[in-house]
């Protein structure tokens, strides 16, 4: 799909602030895709639509999770996780995107998963470091992302895990599994 058409479709779904975030993720994802040799067009499309479902009601998202037989454990964890798999579903059914790699990059952009694809990593890290993000530690991850994508992913995951733990919140098992798999993989290298 043409970039302008995609942006028009997503703009209707988002607040102005979230749309600006989306533009930041798009630019960052294209940069990372160039640096790490991922598919530029897929990175662009996945980035544009990654937060498509962000403003759907909890009721609608919950119903889709149940009806579409998505992992039930999602319902017991933070509702912030829901817009990612629900987004993949809606981008397919409402927008007509059929590319599974793009849909997976949207599906796993919040939780991560074990054995992430290059495109999934690009979108996950771009979402974390886009220029509109201003939380502690983000500048460090921006620098690392220029050197090593897996290390940037580890830092993003660690920051999120620590942020949730400090707020006394549960951490979704896939997030911990993603972190563990990357750490164990790094150990194997050294
Ligand atoms: O949608 P965005 O705000 O752009 O970013 P996102 O899709 O990565 O959502 C991140 C939010 O989700 C962040 O505030 C942390 C929250 N969250 C809640 N539970 C979990 C979680 N994030 C991860 N990775 N794992 C969780 O278990
Ligand atoms: Fe998101
Ligand atoms: Fe986002």
């Amino acid at each position: 799909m043409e970039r302008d058409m995609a942006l028009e479709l997503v703009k209707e779904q988002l607040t102005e602030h979230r749309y600006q975030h989306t533009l930041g993720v798009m630019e960052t994802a294209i940069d990372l895709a160039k640096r790490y040799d991922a598919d530029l067009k897929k990175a662009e499309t996945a980035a544009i639509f990654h937060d498509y479902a962000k403003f759907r009601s909890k009721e609608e998202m919950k119903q889709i999770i149940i009806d579409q037989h998505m992992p039930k454990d999602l319902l017991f964890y933070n509702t912030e996780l829901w817009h990612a798999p629900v987004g993949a579903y809606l981008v397919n059914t409402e927008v007509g995107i059929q590319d599974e790699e793009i849909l997976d990059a949207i599906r796993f952009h919040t939780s991560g998963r074990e054995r992430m694809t290059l495109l999934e990593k690009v979108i996950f890290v771009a979402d974390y470091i886009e220029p509109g993000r201003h939380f502690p530690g983000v500048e460090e991850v921006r620098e690392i992302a220029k050197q090593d994508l897996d290390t940037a992913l580890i830092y993003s995951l660690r920051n999120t895990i620590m942020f949730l733990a400090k707020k006394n919140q549960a951490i979704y098992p896939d997030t911990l599994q993603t972190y563990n798999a990357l750490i164990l993989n790094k150990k194997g290298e050294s």
Side-chain angles (χ1 to χ4, degrees):
M1 185 182 298
E2 287 297 315
R3 178 193 284 195
D4 288 351
M5 178 70 198
L7 286 172
E8 212 172 289
L9 288 174
V10 85
K11 200 173 200 294
E12 294 167 8
Q13 301 290 326
L14 304 176
T15 59
E16 182 56 28
H17 182 259
R18 183 61 41 177
Y19 181 67
Q20 292 304 322
H21 160 72
T22 294
L23 294 177
V25 177
M26 181 185 79
E27 279 165 30
T28 308
I30 291 169
D31 281 354
L32 290 174
K34 282 183 188 154
R35 190 178 296 272
Y36 295 104
D37 212 15
D39 187 311
L40 294 183
K41 189 66 193 169
K42 289 189 188 195
E44 177 186 279
T45 305
I48 290 173
F49 289 111
H50 83 283
D51 275 339
Y52 183 86
K54 191 81 178 174
F55 297 100
R56 296 301 171 105
S57 71
K58 290 196 178 63
E59 291 70 33
E60 182 184 0
M61 290 196 286
K62 187 176 181 181
Q63 206 54 55
I64 290 171
I65 289 168
I66 294 166
D67 292 348
Q68 298 305 317
H69 310 288
M70 293 174 185
K72 276 201 194 62
D73 62 352
L74 280 168
L75 300 173
F76 304 117
Y77 288 87
N78 201 311
T79 54
E80 278 293 321
L81 293 160
W82 297 358
H83 74 284
V86 170
Y89 172 74
L90 293 175
V91 165
N92 177 236
T93 54
E94 294 183 0
V95 183
I97 305 270
Q98 292 180 350
D99 186 299
E100 283 299 331
E101 287 184 81
I102 294 173
L103 296 177
D104 280 344
I106 298 170
R107 185 171 291 120
F108 300 110
H109 89 264
T110 306
S111 64
R113 66 160 163 173
E114 232 183 308
R115 288 186 284 274
M116 288 171 81
T117 64
L118 176 61
L119 188 69
E120 288 167 24
K121 291 175 181 178
V122 162
I123 299 302
F124 193 103
V125 172
D127 190 22
Y128 198 80
I129 66 171
E130 64 93 1
R133 298 287 207 194
H134 296 293
F135 37 77
V138 69
E139 198 46 55
E140 191 184 10
V141 187
R142 283 188 186 116
E143 285 308 310
I144 295 165
K146 293 177 189 161
Q147 316 294 329
D148 187 90
L149 189 61
D150 278 355
T151 308
L153 189 55
I154 289 172
Y155 272 67
S156 316
L157 286 159
R158 178 164 41 222
N159 284 355
T160 301
I161 290 167
M162 283 168 45
F163 167 80
L164 292 167
K166 278 186 195 145
K167 289 201 304 174
N168 234 2
Q169 290 190 16
I171 295 151
Y172 191 57
D174 284 17
T175 302
L176 289 170
Q177 271 185 22
T178 314
Y179 175 78
N180 286 341
L182 287 160
I183 292 278
L184 291 171
N185 186 33
K186 279 262 172 286
K187 291 239 164 68
E189 275 174 21
S190 59

